[in-house]
Amino acid sequence: MTETPRPARAGQDAVAEQGRVCALAVRGVRDLQNVTAAHPELFDAAPFDPALLSSVATVVAFIAPWHTAAELRITTRTVLWVFAADWQVDYLAQSVDDVRQVVTDCLAVADGAVPPPGRHLARLLADLRDELATVPAFARLRPIWRDELARMLAAAAREWDWKNLPTDPTTGRRLPDLDRYLENADNSGSSFVNVTHWIATGDEKTLAQLTDLLDAGRGVQRVLRLVNDLATQKRDAEWGDLNALSLVDDPAQVHDRLAELTARSRGDLAALAERCPRQADYLNRQISFTGGFYQLSDFWGERDE
């Protein structure tokens, strides 16, 4: 009788590790359910479905699997906050004043203010700020955290302007070209999530490299922007979102730029790994996970009709 070959131990270990990471994601989902229950006004729209919560927790677990669920708590909550901010600006804001109010409220929270009643996005940000304040490094790194928040909000407001304000009579343009669009990739919130994650979890060696890490992360952020756009062109068109493919005459320009930016980021991260291997791996895993994820799915649920 021929014995069926047993899986290699390496394969068993890999599956066990994947199971552990999935368990991290499950813990993250349950925590995010608590967040949405505590802030129902922020998450009552159809796109904030259970799959979005699962996707958020899963991406964080897979890009930083060496952490515990408790260590990833602030990071995962911050990713969800970025989705809420995106929804508030892109889909709920009806005017420039609405957008500016979001920016003003959130920057005031970053500076220590208590959000007024009814400012639900700012209230959740205040919760994150207060939890992050329990981390010793936050006191000295708070200005950097605030700067990344400000960059994200300014970029989100700029994209709102591109989509909603009249064409500039001087230049004849309203929408940006591809270069300017990529320069505005801070609106994705990736860099803001990164700085929050590093402050919350990083040791002194990591925090000493924070400037270089943020520079490398901004390169990865541009890669993620294009990966997202290539996968979500139909949804972006339906929702009225900007997409890199709508800014060029030939889609090959976007594919070529993605290949160029990916190669550059991988090279930058290889150099960074000599000094900060774990965080270089964290950024590499963002590129790899996002590329795989968008082959089959999207984060957002279906939009209300």
Side-chain angles (χ1 to χ4, degrees), residues 144-208:
I144 298 175
W145 180 79
R146 186 199 187 281
D147 181 63
E148 291 300 328
L149 174 66
R151 291 177 67 120
M152 173 195 152
L153 294 170
R158 190 175 299 116
E159 181 164 309
W160 192 94
D161 289 349
W162 287 337
K163 292 192 302 180
N164 293 282
L165 295 186
T167 300
D168 186 329
T170 303
T171 64
R173 286 189 63 86
R174 174 169 61 89
L175 299 181
D177 59 18
L178 183 58
D179 288 338
R180 194 173 178 209
Y181 176 73
L182 288 171
E183 288 171 0
N184 202 54
D186 282 317
N187 72 314
S188 71
S190 177
S191 190
F192 177 60
V193 170
N194 287 343
V195 76
T196 303
H197 173 74
W198 286 321
I199 292 173
T201 65
D203 56 19
E204 285 304 317
K205 183 177 180 181
T206 296
L207 297 176

Side-chain angles (χ1 to χ4, degrees), residues 62-288:
F62 270 89
I63 65 175
W66 41 82
H67 288 293
T68 66
E71 289 169 338
L72 292 178
R73 170 186 162 103
I74 296 177
T75 307
T76 307
R77 289 184 169 207
T78 301
V79 175
L80 183 64
W81 182 86
V82 168
F83 275 93
D86 183 66
W87 185 255
Q88 292 285 312
V89 173
D90 277 1
Y91 306 111
L92 297 187
Q94 299 298 308
S95 67
V96 171
D97 288 342
D98 289 343
V99 176
R100 302 303 181 259
Q101 187 66 64
V102 170
V103 173
T104 299
D105 288 346
C106 292
L107 291 181
V109 166
D111 291 331
V114 176
R119 302 285 200 261
H120 305 299
L121 184 70
R123 186 163 70 90
L124 178 53
L125 181 63
D127 292 347
L128 295 172
R129 176 203 64 196
D130 293 345
E131 186 167 357
L132 198 56
T134 66
V135 178
F138 185 62
R140 75 175 190 275
L141 296 175
R142 183 170 181 163
I144 298 175
W145 180 79
R146 186 199 187 281
D147 181 63
E148 291 300 328
L149 174 66
R151 291 177 67 120
M152 173 195 152
L153 294 170
R158 190 175 299 116
E159 181 164 309
W160 192 94
D161 289 349
W162 287 337
K163 292 192 302 180
N164 293 282
L165 295 186
T167 300
D168 186 329
T170 303
T171 64
R173 286 189 63 86
R174 174 169 61 89
L175 299 181
D177 59 18
L178 183 58
D179 288 338
R180 194 173 178 209
Y181 176 73
L182 288 171
E183 288 171 0
N184 202 54
D186 282 317
N187 72 314
S188 71
S190 177
S191 190
F192 177 60
V193 170
N194 287 343
V195 76
T196 303
H197 173 74
W198 286 321
I199 292 173
T201 65
D203 56 19
E204 285 304 317
K205 183 177 180 181
T206 296
L207 297 176
Q209 306 284 337
L210 191 55
T211 298
D212 290 344
L213 288 171
L214 287 170
D215 286 344
R218 227 174 289 284
V220 172
Q221 181 174 245
R222 288 188 284 272
V223 172
L224 303 185
R225 174 78 281 164
L226 292 186
V227 171
N228 174 285
D229 283 7
L230 288 170
T232 61
Q233 182 184 20
K234 182 175 182 293
R235 191 254 292 159
D236 287 341
E238 292 173 350
W239 289 19
D241 272 347
L242 283 189
N243 185 294
L245 290 166
S246 68
L247 305 176
V248 298
D249 297 325
D250 183 357
Q253 292 177 257
V254 177
H255 288 276
D256 291 347
R257 182 63 65 87
L258 174 59
E260 172 195 336
L261 292 175
T262 302
R264 185 185 305 167
S265 281
R266 294 292 196 190
D268 291 343
L269 294 176
L272 182 66
E274 297 178 4
R275 293 177 284 117
C276 209
R278 175 158 287 183
Q279 305 312 330
D281 190 24
Y282 165 83
L283 291 171
N284 268 313
R285 291 173 75 94
Q286 287 185 2
I287 297 174
S288 297

